[in-house]
Amino acid sequence: FGVHALLVATVTLSPVTAAAQSENHATGEDVYPPLWDLAPENPLDFPVKDNKIVISAWNYQERLGVYKSLLNASAKYFGAFGPQNHGNILWGLPLQHGWQFRTGRLADPSGVTSCGYENGEHLCQSVRSWWSCMNYYLSIIPFLGAVEAGLFGQLPHEIEILPPEEQKDDFCYSVKDCWSRMPKLMDDWKAFFEVNNSATFSSFNLDDALGLMWKAHTNSIAYALPKFWDSLKYLSDPEAHFSEDWANAVDFIAATHFCTNLPTTNNFQAFLPPRMLVEEDVLPSISDFSPQQNKVLVSLTALHKANKLTGGLLLKLWRKAMSTEAGREIGRKLIEGLASS
């Protein structure tokens, strides 16, 4: 029953891929995250102060530079999977972050500061933003794990991450600090980058790499969720519910070893809300959302409710169904589309 119910919920994703593909082919400028060309390209592009590479993680452009550094340094492992590094599975992280920036999800949702707003500090990422805080664990932690794994070679300086103005204890700020506070997360990301770093090109296995990346990704979310639960209070009820639904859905997506390269992620993201949800938004008839975006939001809600009602059994059954490469291929095809249904 569990897997069948999930498949029914997932079927509603089917119209999305076709619509997204035509849209993305038409607008080439939207392929990369906003301001991608302006972001630092490697760790040595960041400022050096007191013999430390200093990164302001609460500035969108600098956090984007963390991602760009990871993509550039890992490009050699993904050359066989597409030109211009488009086959790199790390694209999912900066593209998701770019969507958050573009839709206003990184700005101060409490309205107390001008952080993240176009008429204020546009590139500022608010520590009161649930999305921004959650993303810290999917940007800074992977980056420091990669530093430790030797992805960037021997850097001439230590890395220092600048703290936010509030909630300083919820984050870590250097390789050593993160190892002492969250060794499991650092170990997960280090393991992913080490496998890539040590792999010979002939033995590089994309499914294995995806498995390690998704393991680190879902563990990062699971660790961060309870830390930032209180941040949901700044959001409208519909946006807060969507945030929780999205975090739940990632577990289901991860189990398929979904390929987060550039074209697939862009197609997939087309069904996500193009702005923050407000109190007046009622599913499934949000007028300025496409029919597909409305449908997918309904599906994510249904999936989350079903998983909660079954005490997590639905996810367990799904993971069991996805435990073989053949099963994962079916799961990915379901998520990518069922366009003929």
Side-chain angles (χ1 to χ4, degrees):
F1 161 78
V3 173
H4 177 70
L6 176 62
L7 300 189
V8 171
T10 313
V11 163
T12 58
L13 299 182
S14 60
V16 173
T17 305
Q21 282 173 335
S22 60
E23 188 180 319
N24 272 336
H25 290 320
T27 56
E29 70 274 9
D30 293 334
V31 168
Y32 299 103
L35 307 179
W36 185 251
D37 288 345
L38 301 177
E41 304 209 352
N42 67 69
L44 299 178
D45 284 345
F46 290 93
V48 175
K49 188 177 179 183
D50 299 330
N51 208 29
K52 290 181 179 178
I53 295 167
V54 179
I55 299 174
S56 175
W58 301 95
N59 173 286
Y60 169 74
Q61 203 165 305
E62 294 211 14
R63 204 182 285 196
L64 204 59
V66 162
Y67 285 131
K68 201 169 186 180
S69 300
L70 288 174
L71 275 151
N72 286 340
S74 61
K76 56 192 172 185
Y77 305 112
F78 297 96
F81 304 105
Q84 297 179 281
N85 202 22
H86 286 184
N88 195 320
I89 61 174
L90 287 170
W91 272 113
L93 296 170
L95 287 170
Q96 178 75 174
H97 197 47
W99 164 76
Q100 292 163 359
F101 176 74
R102 196 167 52 244
T103 58
R105 287 178 163 84
L106 304 178
D108 182 355
S110 70
V112 171
T113 71
S114 64
C115 178
Y117 293 97
E118 289 201 23
N119 59 353
E121 303 163 89
H122 185 42
L123 296 180
C124 173
Q125 292 194 204
S126 176
V127 74
R128 295 187 177 199
S129 158
W130 180 86
W131 293 95
S132 184
C133 291
M134 293 293 292
N135 177 266
Y136 193 96
Y137 283 79
L138 294 171
S139 55
I140 300 305
I141 310 303
F143 176 72
L144 294 175
V147 170
E148 185 73 349
L151 185 71
F152 304 108
Q154 194 67 40
L155 290 172
H157 311 287
E158 282 183 38
I159 305 274
E160 181 185 0
I161 311 295
L162 296 180
E165 291 180 7
E166 306 170 47
Q167 298 173 234
K168 290 182 175 66
D169 291 344
D170 287 332
F171 309 96
C172 61
Y173 306 105
S174 67
V175 170
K176 188 177 177 182
D177 183 30
C178 294
W179 269 114
S180 67
R181 293 206 214 183
M182 47 201 77
K184 178 74 175 70
L185 295 189
M186 286 289 285
D187 202 44
D188 285 344
W189 283 109
K190 182 172 178 257
F192 166 70
F193 287 108
E194 270 180 344
V195 164
N196 294 347
N197 214 14
S198 63
T200 60
F201 297 111
S202 58
S203 68
F204 185 84
N205 183 296
L206 189 61
D207 188 65
D208 289 347
L210 283 160
L212 285 166
M213 186 203 70
W214 277 117
K215 179 189 176 191
H217 188 125
T218 52
N219 285 345
S220 294
I221 289 177
Y223 183 90
L225 264 177
K227 275 186 177 293
F228 305 114
W229 199 256
D230 284 352
S231 300
L232 293 171
K233 71 186 176 193
Y234 296 121
L235 304 174
S236 69
D237 283 349
E239 178 69 19
H241 290 145
F242 164 63
S243 304
E244 294 177 54
D245 293 344
W246 180 238
N248 171 75
V250 170
D251 281 328
F252 287 89
I253 295 164
T256 72
H257 292 187
F258 190 80
C259 189
T260 43
N261 60 28
L262 187 126
T264 307
T265 305
N266 269 324
N267 290 340
F268 187 61
Q269 284 199 158
F271 70 71
L272 294 179
R275 59 164 173 80
M276 289 186 76
L277 295 161
V278 295
E279 296 294 353
E280 296 74 29
D281 288 329
V282 179
L283 291 169
S285 50
I286 302 176
S287 60
D288 60 332
F289 285 15
S290 70
Q292 291 89 354
Q293 287 164 342
N294 273 289
K295 279 183 185 175
V296 168
L297 286 175
V298 169
S299 299
L300 294 180
T301 300
L303 182 60
H304 192 191
K305 280 183 180 173
N307 196 38
K308 278 171 86 172
L309 281 170
T310 60
L313 179 62
L314 193 55
L315 179 58
K316 284 178 185 170
L317 288 167
W318 178 250
R319 281 176 171 160
K320 190 173 182 183
M322 298 296 112
S323 61
T324 66
E325 209 159 332
R328 289 193 289 276
E329 190 175 345
I330 293 167
R332 284 194 296 271
K333 282 178 180 171
L334 275 166
I335 290 172
E336 284 169 14
L338 300 177
S340 58
S341 298

